[in-house]
Amino acid sequence: MTDKHKKLTAWLAGFVFVLFFVLVAWRIGVPMVRFVSQPQEFRAWVDAHGFGGKLFVGLVILQVIVAIIPGEPLEIGAGYAFGTVEGTLLCLIGIAIGSTLVFLLVRKLGVRLVEVFFPVEKIRSLRFLQDSQRLNRLTFLIFFIPGTPKDLLSYFVGLTDMKLSVWVAISFFARIPS
């Protein structure tokens, strides 16, 4: 394959990837957020499904993977439906699973896609990526601040040399304030 074909393939793959996310967000994410944004109805649904209501974690996982779906309505709905402690734990579990899946997916496929657009040497030359302690602290800080685009940043972290165990700890504990 020539470089021109590689770039065209990468652009096409990127377009399909973004289009897929937009379609999932529109067809699943928007109705999901609307449903969770109606606290009484959501709580009734959770109560009617008993332990099955805990499958709410799957919605959180989907929200993390499809990063353009806003997470705040899910977090607020979880607090209302499950209570503060259980809602927080269910959200954090879903976030940890979703973040781990994104991290592993980017580790597997992301570097090849990114290096079509940016030379690996250029990415690796960024100073904060060279120092793992600095990268870990910066990532923790960004994830600790409510309102930052954490799910989108999850796609970037998989391109770094951060260890999976560190990533899981950061994505679980640093998101507690949110």
Side-chain angles (χ1 to χ4, degrees):
M1 225 188 214
T2 66
D3 282 345
K4 185 177 179 181
H5 285 106
K6 285 182 185 178
K7 281 194 184 250
L8 181 61
T9 302
W11 277 104
L12 184 60
F15 176 76
V16 168
F17 184 73
V18 169
L19 181 63
F20 173 75
F21 270 30
V22 168
L23 288 173
V24 169
W26 180 58
R27 299 287 296 161
I28 297 171
V30 170
M32 178 178 77
V33 169
R34 270 194 214 122
F35 178 59
V36 173
S37 297
Q38 301 168 359
Q40 290 81 9
E41 290 181 30
F42 181 59
R43 187 173 194 151
W45 180 85
V46 167
D47 291 341
H49 287 84
F51 185 76
K54 308 265 189 290
L55 294 177
F56 163 81
V57 168
L59 298 178
V60 177
I61 294 168
L62 176 68
Q63 180 275 317
V64 172
I65 293 171
V66 183
I68 59 175
I69 299 173
E72 289 78 9
L74 292 174
E75 294 161 1
I76 292 167
Y80 185 81
F82 299 104
T84 304
V85 174
E86 187 178 5
T88 298
L89 285 174
L90 288 172
C91 284
L92 288 173
I93 289 167
I95 286 167
I97 293 169
S99 296
T100 301
L101 291 173
V102 167
F103 183 91
L104 294 173
L105 176 71
V106 171
R107 275 280 159 94
K108 182 81 172 156
L109 304 174
V111 174
R112 282 182 269 155
L113 182 63
V114 170
E115 71 185 354
V116 170
F117 301 104
F118 305 101
V120 175
E121 300 79 35
K122 187 78 153 176
I123 296 168
R124 303 235 187 266
S125 71
L126 299 172
R127 282 198 336 192
F128 74 95
L129 294 178
Q130 299 296 329
D131 181 355
S132 62
Q133 291 292 8
R134 190 172 175 194
L135 173 64
N136 295 348
R137 283 193 303 269
L138 179 63
T139 303
F140 185 91
L141 179 64
I142 290 170
F143 275 60
F144 191 75
I145 300 169
T148 57
K150 295 163 190 64
D151 299 324
L152 288 173
L153 290 172
S154 297
Y155 282 87
F156 172 75
V157 173
L159 297 172
T160 69
D161 291 333
M162 185 180 290
K163 293 179 181 178
L164 177 60
S165 59
V166 172
W167 168 243
V168 171
I170 288 173
S171 66
F172 187 87
F173 292 108
R175 290 185 185 224
I176 290 173
S178 290

